[in-house]
Structures are given as C-alpha cells and as structure tokens.
Amino acid sequence: RPDQPAWKKRDKEGNNLGENCLACDDYADWWLSVQKNTIERFQLGYWAWDPGPGNGTHCYAENHGHLPGKGDYKAWRNSLKLLEKLKSTFPDLFLMSFYGRKEYGLWGFKYFNQHEVLWEQTLMFGASLHSDFSDDRVNADGMRLQNIWSMNFRFLPASMGHGLATRMGESW
C-alpha cells in the first residue's frame, strides 16, 4: 500500500523498496484482515499463495522488530501466525502452498493441506542443472519424479505432494 511506507522493506541505504515486509507486525495484521475478509466475503473453501504469504528477506528497516538485514525469522513466525489464524477462523479451509514455502523447509508446511511440487522440474523454473528435464518429462513419470525429489531433498511427506496435471513448455 502506498499510504503505508513504513511497511516496506528497506535497502542498506534506507530507501524504501517496492515489497512489504512480513516481519512488520502492522503489515502482517493488515494482510491477515484482507485475506479473512476475502475468504469470508466470497465464501472460499480453497486459498493459496504463489510464492507464499510474504517474507522479510533483505529488509534493513529498523522499525519492523528485526535486526537490519535479518527479517527472515520474524517474517516466518508472522507467516505461521497468519496461517494459524486463518485455519482457526476457517477450519475447513484448504490451504495450498507453492514453491515459496520450500525455503522454510518442513516447518514452512505447517497448516497447509497440500504442496505443489512441479516448479523445479522444468528449465523455465530453475532446473537448469538437470539437462535431462524437458517437456517430455512433464508427464506422469515426471510428476512422480518431482514428488520423490520433494520427499527426499525437501523432506516433504508424500501425502502433501501435488504435481500439476497440465503440460508446461520451456518457451516464453
């Protein structure tokens, strides 16, 4: 929100950046109220973020309750509070996580029902180290491979893995 510059991440020189910092408690409270309002107003049963509800990465603000440049942990705690409040307010809400939650490891999946596991599979989404991945691999076998990758590398329980069922191309 442009009317709330205090919520923005700041760089090392103190300049406001374009993204809000989830470690800022006032922003986290507002962000929760927006989501609760949307879910209630439209009677939604499914909710997801891509990549996630936000973070405090690379924030050097001194008014967010974290050390300058060290907003990750507090933002993670605020994200868990947000998720917990959503689940307690809407106990039947299905929460889907996407690749942004992987940065928090297993602890990032708390309160989620399912996690999308496809993004690492194609070159377009950062799998350039795996040259054997191609459009031909984005199929049933590829989905199983991606779920195995998430289970073994990210320690994601198999029951949470969800591979997208549509084909994706490498071209822009």
mmCIF file with all atom_site columns, all heavy atoms in Angstrom, residues 7-22:
data_model
loop_
_atom_site.group_PDB
_atom_site.id
_atom_site.type_symbol
_atom_site.label_atom_id
_atom_site.label_alt_id
_atom_site.label_comp_id
_atom_site.label_asym_id
_atom_site.label_entity_id
_atom_site.label_seq_id
_atom_site.pdbx_PDB_ins_code
_atom_site.Cartn_x
_atom_site.Cartn_y
_atom_site.Cartn_z
_atom_site.occupancy
_atom_site.B_iso_or_equiv
_atom_site.pdbx_formal_charge
_atom_site.auth_seq_id
_atom_site.auth_comp_id
_atom_site.auth_asym_id
_atom_site.auth_atom_id
_atom_site.pdbx_PDB_model_num
ATOM 1   N N   . TRP A 1 7  ? 5.701  0.077   6.104  1.00 0.00 ? 7  TRP A N   1
ATOM 2   C CA  . TRP A 1 7  ? 5.594  -1.372  5.943  1.00 0.00 ? 7  TRP A CA  1
ATOM 3   C C   . TRP A 1 7  ? 6.596  -1.919  4.933  1.00 0.00 ? 7  TRP A C   1
ATOM 4   O O   . TRP A 1 7  ? 6.830  -3.119  4.879  1.00 0.00 ? 7  TRP A O   1
ATOM 5   C CB  . TRP A 1 7  ? 4.200  -1.761  5.468  1.00 0.00 ? 7  TRP A CB  1
ATOM 6   C CG  . TRP A 1 7  ? 3.090  -1.458  6.420  1.00 0.00 ? 7  TRP A CG  1
ATOM 7   C CD1 . TRP A 1 7  ? 3.180  -0.960  7.691  1.00 0.00 ? 7  TRP A CD1 1
ATOM 8   C CD2 . TRP A 1 7  ? 1.707  -1.648  6.164  1.00 0.00 ? 7  TRP A CD2 1
ATOM 9   N NE1 . TRP A 1 7  ? 1.937  -0.825  8.224  1.00 0.00 ? 7  TRP A NE1 1
ATOM 10  C CE2 . TRP A 1 7  ? 1.001  -1.236  7.305  1.00 0.00 ? 7  TRP A CE2 1
ATOM 11  C CE3 . TRP A 1 7  ? 0.984  -2.107  5.067  1.00 0.00 ? 7  TRP A CE3 1
ATOM 12  C CZ2 . TRP A 1 7  ? -0.375 -1.289  7.392  1.00 0.00 ? 7  TRP A CZ2 1
ATOM 13  C CZ3 . TRP A 1 7  ? -0.393 -2.159  5.155  1.00 0.00 ? 7  TRP A CZ3 1
ATOM 14  C CH2 . TRP A 1 7  ? -1.061 -1.763  6.313  1.00 0.00 ? 7  TRP A CH2 1
ATOM 15  N N   . LYS A 1 8  ? 7.158  -1.057  4.127  1.00 0.00 ? 8  LYS A N   1
ATOM 16  C CA  . LYS A 1 8  ? 8.034  -1.501  3.031  1.00 0.00 ? 8  LYS A CA  1
ATOM 17  C C   . LYS A 1 8  ? 9.383  -1.990  3.541  1.00 0.00 ? 8  LYS A C   1
ATOM 18  O O   . LYS A 1 8  ? 9.900  -1.518  4.552  1.00 0.00 ? 8  LYS A O   1
ATOM 19  C CB  . LYS A 1 8  ? 8.294  -0.354  2.047  1.00 0.00 ? 8  LYS A CB  1
ATOM 20  C CG  . LYS A 1 8  ? 7.057  0.214   1.405  1.00 0.00 ? 8  LYS A CG  1
ATOM 21  C CD  . LYS A 1 8  ? 6.471  -0.742  0.421  1.00 0.00 ? 8  LYS A CD  1
ATOM 22  C CE  . LYS A 1 8  ? 5.261  -0.119  -0.258 1.00 0.00 ? 8  LYS A CE  1
ATOM 23  N NZ  . LYS A 1 8  ? 4.383  -1.117  -0.837 1.00 0.00 ? 8  LYS A NZ  1
ATOM 24  N N   . LYS A 1 9  ? 9.936  -2.939  2.799  1.00 0.00 ? 9  LYS A N   1
ATOM 25  C CA  . LYS A 1 9  ? 11.318 -3.328  3.043  1.00 0.00 ? 9  LYS A CA  1
ATOM 26  C C   . LYS A 1 9  ? 12.205 -2.136  2.707  1.00 0.00 ? 9  LYS A C   1
ATOM 27  O O   . LYS A 1 9  ? 11.853 -1.309  1.869  1.00 0.00 ? 9  LYS A O   1
ATOM 28  C CB  . LYS A 1 9  ? 11.705 -4.508  2.152  1.00 0.00 ? 9  LYS A CB  1
ATOM 29  C CG  . LYS A 1 9  ? 11.027 -5.799  2.516  1.00 0.00 ? 9  LYS A CG  1
ATOM 30  C CD  . LYS A 1 9  ? 11.511 -6.912  1.591  1.00 0.00 ? 9  LYS A CD  1
ATOM 31  C CE  . LYS A 1 9  ? 10.868 -8.227  1.942  1.00 0.00 ? 9  LYS A CE  1
ATOM 32  N NZ  . LYS A 1 9  ? 11.362 -9.313  1.085  1.00 0.00 ? 9  LYS A NZ  1
ATOM 33  N N   . ARG A 1 10 ? 13.356 -2.071  3.369  1.00 0.00 ? 10 ARG A N   1
ATOM 34  C CA  . ARG A 1 10 ? 14.322 -1.010  3.088  1.00 0.00 ? 10 ARG A CA  1
ATOM 35  C C   . ARG A 1 10 ? 15.656 -1.641  2.740  1.00 0.00 ? 10 ARG A C   1
ATOM 36  O O   . ARG A 1 10 ? 16.036 -2.670  3.282  1.00 0.00 ? 10 ARG A O   1
ATOM 37  C CB  . ARG A 1 10 ? 14.476 -0.103  4.306  1.00 0.00 ? 10 ARG A CB  1
ATOM 38  C CG  . ARG A 1 10 ? 13.201 0.651   4.591  1.00 0.00 ? 10 ARG A CG  1
ATOM 39  C CD  . ARG A 1 10 ? 13.435 1.903   5.394  1.00 0.00 ? 10 ARG A CD  1
ATOM 40  N NE  . ARG A 1 10 ? 12.143 2.516   5.663  1.00 0.00 ? 10 ARG A NE  1
ATOM 41  C CZ  . ARG A 1 10 ? 11.634 2.667   6.877  1.00 0.00 ? 10 ARG A CZ  1
ATOM 42  N NH1 . ARG A 1 10 ? 12.308 2.277   7.928  1.00 0.00 ? 10 ARG A NH1 1
ATOM 43  N NH2 . ARG A 1 10 ? 10.461 3.239   7.029  1.00 0.00 ? 10 ARG A NH2 1
ATOM 44  N N   . ASP A 1 11 ? 16.364 -0.966  1.831  1.00 0.00 ? 11 ASP A N   1
ATOM 45  C CA  . ASP A 1 11 ? 17.696 -1.447  1.480  1.00 0.00 ? 11 ASP A CA  1
ATOM 46  C C   . ASP A 1 11 ? 18.715 -0.934  2.492  1.00 0.00 ? 11 ASP A C   1
ATOM 47  O O   . ASP A 1 11 ? 18.358 -0.248  3.457  1.00 0.00 ? 11 ASP A O   1
ATOM 48  C CB  . ASP A 1 11 ? 18.055 -1.072  0.041  1.00 0.00 ? 11 ASP A CB  1
ATOM 49  C CG  . ASP A 1 11 ? 18.155 0.422   -0.191 1.00 0.00 ? 11 ASP A CG  1
ATOM 50  O OD1 . ASP A 1 11 ? 18.262 1.211   0.793  1.00 0.00 ? 11 ASP A OD1 1
ATOM 51  O OD2 . ASP A 1 11 ? 18.142 0.837   -1.370 1.00 0.00 ? 11 ASP A OD2 1
ATOM 52  N N   . LYS A 1 12 ? 19.994 -1.239  2.282  1.00 0.00 ? 12 LYS A N   1
ATOM 53  C CA  . LYS A 1 12 ? 21.040 -0.866  3.228  1.00 0.00 ? 12 LYS A CA  1
ATOM 54  C C   . LYS A 1 12 ? 21.170 0.638   3.406  1.00 0.00 ? 12 LYS A C   1
ATOM 55  O O   . LYS A 1 12 ? 21.606 1.111   4.450  1.00 0.00 ? 12 LYS A O   1
ATOM 56  C CB  . LYS A 1 12 ? 22.385 -1.449  2.783  1.00 0.00 ? 12 LYS A CB  1
ATOM 57  C CG  . LYS A 1 12 ? 22.470 -2.940  2.924  1.00 0.00 ? 12 LYS A CG  1
ATOM 58  C CD  . LYS A 1 12 ? 23.820 -3.454  2.449  1.00 0.00 ? 12 LYS A CD  1
ATOM 59  C CE  . LYS A 1 12 ? 23.884 -4.954  2.561  1.00 0.00 ? 12 LYS A CE  1
ATOM 60  N NZ  . LYS A 1 12 ? 25.172 -5.494  2.112  1.00 0.00 ? 12 LYS A NZ  1
ATOM 61  N N   . GLU A 1 13 ? 20.792 1.376   2.366  1.00 0.00 ? 13 GLU A N   1
ATOM 62  C CA  . GLU A 1 13 ? 20.880 2.842   2.429  1.00 0.00 ? 13 GLU A CA  1
ATOM 63  C C   . GLU A 1 13 ? 19.631 3.465   3.037  1.00 0.00 ? 13 GLU A C   1
ATOM 64  O O   . GLU A 1 13 ? 19.543 4.684   3.153  1.00 0.00 ? 13 GLU A O   1
ATOM 65  C CB  . GLU A 1 13 ? 21.120 3.419   1.030  1.00 0.00 ? 13 GLU A CB  1
ATOM 66  C CG  . GLU A 1 13 ? 22.512 3.159   0.477  1.00 0.00 ? 13 GLU A CG  1
ATOM 67  C CD  . GLU A 1 13 ? 22.703 1.727   -0.004 1.00 0.00 ? 13 GLU A CD  1
ATOM 68  O OE1 . GLU A 1 13 ? 21.757 1.162   -0.588 1.00 0.00 ? 13 GLU A OE1 1
ATOM 69  O OE2 . GLU A 1 13 ? 23.789 1.177   0.220  1.00 0.00 ? 13 GLU A OE2 1
ATOM 70  N N   . GLY A 1 14 ? 18.632 2.655   3.373  1.00 0.00 ? 14 GLY A N   1
ATOM 71  C CA  . GLY A 1 14 ? 17.408 3.174   3.989  1.00 0.00 ? 14 GLY A CA  1
ATOM 72  C C   . GLY A 1 14 ? 16.312 3.521   3.001  1.00 0.00 ? 14 GLY A C   1
ATOM 73  O O   . GLY A 1 14 ? 15.284 4.074   3.390  1.00 0.00 ? 14 GLY A O   1
ATOM 74  N N   . ASN A 1 15 ? 16.515 3.218   1.712  1.00 0.00 ? 15 ASN A N   1
ATOM 75  C CA  . ASN A 1 15 ? 15.493 3.502   0.711  1.00 0.00 ? 15 ASN A CA  1
ATOM 76  C C   . ASN A 1 15 ? 14.376 2.463   0.772  1.00 0.00 ? 15 ASN A C   1
ATOM 77  O O   . ASN A 1 15 ? 14.651 1.266   0.911  1.00 0.00 ? 15 ASN A O   1
ATOM 78  C CB  . ASN A 1 15 ? 16.107 3.483   -0.697 1.00 0.00 ? 15 ASN A CB  1
ATOM 79  C CG  . ASN A 1 15 ? 17.225 4.492   -0.836 1.00 0.00 ? 15 ASN A CG  1
ATOM 80  O OD1 . ASN A 1 15 ? 17.057 5.666   -0.527 1.00 0.00 ? 15 ASN A OD1 1
ATOM 81  N ND2 . ASN A 1 15 ? 18.375 4.026   -1.275 1.00 0.00 ? 15 ASN A ND2 1
ATOM 82  N N   . ASN A 1 16 ? 13.134 2.941   0.674  1.00 0.00 ? 16 ASN A N   1
ATOM 83  C CA  . ASN A 1 16 ? 12.005 2.011   0.636  1.00 0.00 ? 16 ASN A CA  1
ATOM 84  C C   . ASN A 1 16 ? 12.023 1.220   -0.661 1.00 0.00 ? 16 ASN A C   1
ATOM 85  O O   . ASN A 1 16 ? 12.234 1.773   -1.733 1.00 0.00 ? 16 ASN A O   1
ATOM 86  C CB  . ASN A 1 16 ? 10.677 2.767   0.748  1.00 0.00 ? 16 ASN A CB  1
ATOM 87  C CG  . ASN A 1 16 ? 10.305 3.082   2.184  1.00 0.00 ? 16 ASN A CG  1
ATOM 88  O OD1 . ASN A 1 16 ? 11.019 2.708   3.098  1.00 0.00 ? 16 ASN A OD1 1
ATOM 89  N ND2 . ASN A 1 16 ? 9.216  3.769   2.380  1.00 0.00 ? 16 ASN A ND2 1
ATOM 90  N N   . LEU A 1 17 ? 11.777 -0.077  -0.540 1.00 0.00 ? 17 LEU A N   1
ATOM 91  C CA  . LEU A 1 17 ? 11.687 -0.959  -1.696 1.00 0.00 ? 17 LEU A CA  1
ATOM 92  C C   . LEU A 1 17 ? 10.209 -1.199  -2.009 1.00 0.00 ? 17 LEU A C   1
ATOM 93  O O   . LEU A 1 17 ? 9.334  -0.823  -1.259 1.00 0.00 ? 17 LEU A O   1
ATOM 94  C CB  . LEU A 1 17 ? 12.425 -2.265  -1.412 1.00 0.00 ? 17 LEU A CB  1
ATOM 95  C CG  . LEU A 1 17 ? 13.902 -2.092  -1.031 1.00 0.00 ? 17 LEU A CG  1
ATOM 96  C CD1 . LEU A 1 17 ? 14.519 -3.413  -0.624 1.00 0.00 ? 17 LEU A CD1 1
ATOM 97  C CD2 . LEU A 1 17 ? 14.674 -1.476  -2.187 1.00 0.00 ? 17 LEU A CD2 1
ATOM 98  N N   . GLY A 1 18 ? 9.914  -1.831  -3.092 1.00 0.00 ? 18 GLY A N   1
ATOM 99  C CA  . GLY A 1 18 ? 8.528  -1.991  -3.516 1.00 0.00 ? 18 GLY A CA  1
ATOM 100 C C   . GLY A 1 18 ? 7.721  -3.018  -2.751 1.00 0.00 ? 18 GLY A C   1
ATOM 101 O O   . GLY A 1 18 ? 6.500  -3.000  -2.772 1.00 0.00 ? 18 GLY A O   1
ATOM 102 N N   . GLU A 1 19 ? 8.392  -3.936  -2.051 1.00 0.00 ? 19 GLU A N   1
ATOM 103 C CA  . GLU A 1 19 ? 7.695  -5.046  -1.398 1.00 0.00 ? 19 GLU A CA  1
ATOM 104 C C   . GLU A 1 19 ? 7.495  -4.768  0.084  1.00 0.00 ? 19 GLU A C   1
ATOM 105 O O   . GLU A 1 19 ? 8.368  -4.221  0.757  1.00 0.00 ? 19 GLU A O   1
ATOM 106 C CB  . GLU A 1 19 ? 8.537  -6.311  -1.572 1.00 0.00 ? 19 GLU A CB  1
ATOM 107 C CG  . GLU A 1 19 ? 7.910  -7.553  -1.027 1.00 0.00 ? 19 GLU A CG  1
ATOM 108 C CD  . GLU A 1 19 ? 8.785  -8.787  -1.229 1.00 0.00 ? 19 GLU A CD  1
ATOM 109 O OE1 . GLU A 1 19 ? 9.908  -8.656  -1.760 1.00 0.00 ? 19 GLU A OE1 1
ATOM 110 O OE2 . GLU A 1 19 ? 8.347  -9.867  -0.841 1.00 0.00 ? 19 GLU A OE2 1
ATOM 111 N N   . ASN A 1 20 ? 6.336  -5.153  0.597  1.00 0.00 ? 20 ASN A N   1
ATOM 112 C CA  . ASN A 1 20 ? 6.095  -5.046  2.032  1.00 0.00 ? 20 ASN A CA  1
ATOM 113 C C   . ASN A 1 20 ? 6.867  -6.130  2.774  1.00 0.00 ? 20 ASN A C   1
ATOM 114 O O   . ASN A 1 20 ? 7.126  -7.201  2.227  1.00 0.00 ? 20 ASN A O   1
ATOM 115 C CB  . ASN A 1 20 ? 4.603  -5.185  2.339  1.00 0.00 ? 20 ASN A CB  1
ATOM 116 C CG  . ASN A 1 20 ? 3.808  -4.004  1.845  1.00 0.00 ? 20 ASN A CG  1
ATOM 117 O OD1 . ASN A 1 20 ? 4.204  -2.864  1.991  1.00 0.00 ? 20 ASN A OD1 1
ATOM 118 N ND2 . ASN A 1 20 ? 2.673  -4.279  1.236  1.00 0.00 ? 20 ASN A ND2 1
ATOM 119 N N   . CYS A 1 21 ? 7.206  -5.857  4.019  1.00 0.00 ? 21 CYS A N   1
ATOM 120 C CA  . CYS A 1 21 ? 7.964  -6.791  4.848  1.00 0.00 ? 21 CYS A CA  1
ATOM 121 C C   . CYS A 1 21 ? 7.010  -7.512  5.789  1.00 0.00 ? 21 CYS A C   1
ATOM 122 O O   . CYS A 1 21 ? 6.356  -6.877  6.625  1.00 0.00 ? 21 CYS A O   1
ATOM 123 C CB  . CYS A 1 21 ? 9.021  -6.031  5.650  1.00 0.00 ? 21 CYS A CB  1
ATOM 124 S SG  . CYS A 1 21 ? 9.997  -7.085  6.742  1.00 0.00 ? 21 CYS A SG  1
ATOM 125 N N   . LEU A 1 22 ? 6.920  -8.824  5.672  1.00 0.00 ? 22 LEU A N   1
ATOM 126 C CA  . LEU A 1 22 ? 6.023  -9.594  6.520  1.00 0.00 ? 22 LEU A CA  1
ATOM 127 C C   . LEU A 1 22 ? 6.485  -9.617  7.974  1.00 0.00 ? 22 LEU A C   1
ATOM 128 O O   . LEU A 1 22 ? 5.713  -9.948  8.860  1.00 0.00 ? 22 LEU A O   1
ATOM 129 C CB  . LEU A 1 22 ? 5.866  -11.018 5.984  1.00 0.00 ? 22 LEU A CB  1
ATOM 130 C CG  . LEU A 1 22 ? 4.750  -11.855 6.609  1.00 0.00 ? 22 LEU A CG  1
ATOM 131 C CD1 . LEU A 1 22 ? 3.386  -11.197 6.418  1.00 0.00 ? 22 LEU A CD1 1
ATOM 132 C CD2 . LEU A 1 22 ? 4.741  -13.248 6.052  1.00 0.00 ? 22 LEU A CD2 1
#
